[in-house]
Amino acid sequence: MKKQHQPFTFSLDTLLYPLLFVLLIWLVFAIEIRFGLRFNKYGVYPQTLKGLQGILFSPFIHSGIKHLYSNTVPLFVLSSVLFYFYRPIAFKVVIYGILLSGFITWVIGRPSYHIGASGLIYVLFSFNFFKGIFARHYKLIALSLVVVFIYGSMFMYAFPIDEQISWEGHTAGLIAGLVFALIFRKEIVKVKRYKWEEPNYNEEEDEFLKYFDESGNFIELPPENEWFSETSEISSEISDINYIFKENKD
């Protein structure tokens, strides 16, 4: 039987998977420091065959401790939000987001190595924002507003305002997040609908409303249950029976 995922429920994996990803990028950086290595050459290098390997490796490579730290907090926060609100599709968004944003970076990027998890961060930011809007669910719309309030300044870094920043990777992440928000727009949390919200709802057949008049005043209806009526008749007959006490002379 397929496991059912309950929406908006906290579990260990809500924080576990984001934490593992963060630890992995810190582990890669620690290996670079410990053994004096540089993994920059494994980043995305646009329009080259060798540069395609960076689509897989670049999110785990960072240029320094400042670069790594600046990506750690938003990566953990946004991925945790993803696993909490969109758990059934969270892995698809992360994996496909890395691939699509990396490929777009490879297509539009400048001839340089593009590294860092910021591309994925922009995927998560874009997806969480647009998905909440498309869902039209009050909790998810509120989430979109919170995300844009906290990380709204990220939009400016999707433009070439700093030569040291891969704006191409950021733009690619925004595009990828929007694409997946559109692809998965039907996979949303269903809004709970009450009986009276159903299109085929008939007010006259509602058993509850029968106990109220047009002004909303409570009225007591006579019992219509056949079993109750028969029971009442039997009770009435029993009450008419007179019992006589006769002393036993034997």
Side-chain angles (χ1 to χ4, degrees):
M1 183 180 293
K2 186 178 180 180
K3 183 179 179 182
Q4 298 294 323
H5 296 274
Q6 296 297 324
F8 309 148
T9 55
F10 178 83
S11 63
L12 183 61
D13 55 4
T14 302
L15 299 178
L16 179 61
Y17 294 123
L19 181 60
L20 288 176
F21 194 88
V22 168
L23 290 177
L24 181 57
I25 63 176
W26 276 88
L27 176 62
V28 171
F29 183 74
I31 292 174
E32 284 188 288
I33 299 299
R34 174 65 178 81
F35 297 100
L37 303 174
R38 295 287 291 174
F39 293 151
N40 290 19
K41 61 181 180 180
Y42 296 106
V44 174
Y45 201 95
Q47 293 96 49
T48 65
L49 187 61
K50 184 179 179 181
L52 286 171
Q53 66 181 349
I55 295 176
L56 295 176
F57 300 139
S58 62
F60 307 97
I61 306 170
H62 293 81
S63 60
I65 188 67
K66 183 178 179 181
H67 184 203
L68 178 60
Y69 179 76
S70 64
N71 283 344
T72 297
V73 176
L75 177 61
F76 179 77
V77 172
L78 292 173
S79 56
S80 296
V81 168
L82 178 72
F83 275 92
Y84 180 80
F85 287 95
Y86 307 106
R87 188 177 308 167
I89 57 175
F91 281 108
K92 293 180 182 179
V93 174
V94 171
I95 295 173
Y96 297 153
I98 290 175
L99 296 177
L100 181 57
S101 63
F103 179 74
I104 296 175
T105 303
W106 183 84
V107 172
I108 67 174
R110 292 165 290 174
S112 179
Y113 288 107
H114 298 256
I115 59 174
S118 55
L120 176 59
I121 292 172
Y122 273 77
V123 171
L124 299 175
F125 167 76
S126 178
F127 178 83
N128 284 321
F129 174 71
F130 288 110
K131 187 68 168 63
I133 300 299
F134 297 153
R136 297 181 181 179
H137 186 285
Y138 71 97
K139 287 186 178 180
L140 301 181
I141 293 175
L143 170 65
S144 298
L145 296 177
V146 171
V147 167
V148 77
F149 176 77
I150 297 176
Y151 295 109
S153 60
M154 292 173 59
F155 276 114
M156 62 185 297
Y157 293 104
F159 299 95
I161 61 175
D162 190 338
E163 294 182 355
Q164 301 299 319
I165 297 176
S166 175
W167 65 268
E168 299 95 328
H170 298 171
T171 300
L174 288 178
I175 295 173
L178 175 59
V179 168
F180 292 125
L182 289 170
I183 292 175
F184 297 119
R185 67 184 182 279
K186 294 183 178 180
E187 297 188 36
I188 61 175
V189 178
K190 294 183 178 180
V191 181
K192 182 179 179 180
R193 301 186 67 174
Y194 295 95
K195 185 178 179 180
W196 57 82
E197 295 178 314
E198 297 294 336
N200 58 348
Y201 171 70
N202 188 347
E203 184 176 310
E204 296 179 356
E205 297 179 358
D206 193 307
E207 295 294 332
F208 179 74
L209 292 181
K210 290 181 180 180
Y211 290 92
F212 298 88
D213 60 18
E214 296 180 354
S215 302
N217 299 316
F218 177 78
I219 56 176
E220 186 174 355
L221 298 178
E224 298 179 356
N225 189 288
E226 183 178 350
W227 177 87
F228 183 83
S229 299
E230 293 178 355
T231 305
S232 300
E233 292 175 3
I234 295 173
S235 300
S236 179
E237 293 176 1
I238 293 176
S239 63
D240 293 336
I241 298 176
N242 295 320
Y243 292 91
I244 300 174
F245 174 76
K246 186 176 182 181
E247 183 179 358
N248 188 355
K249 296 182 180 181
D250 293 337

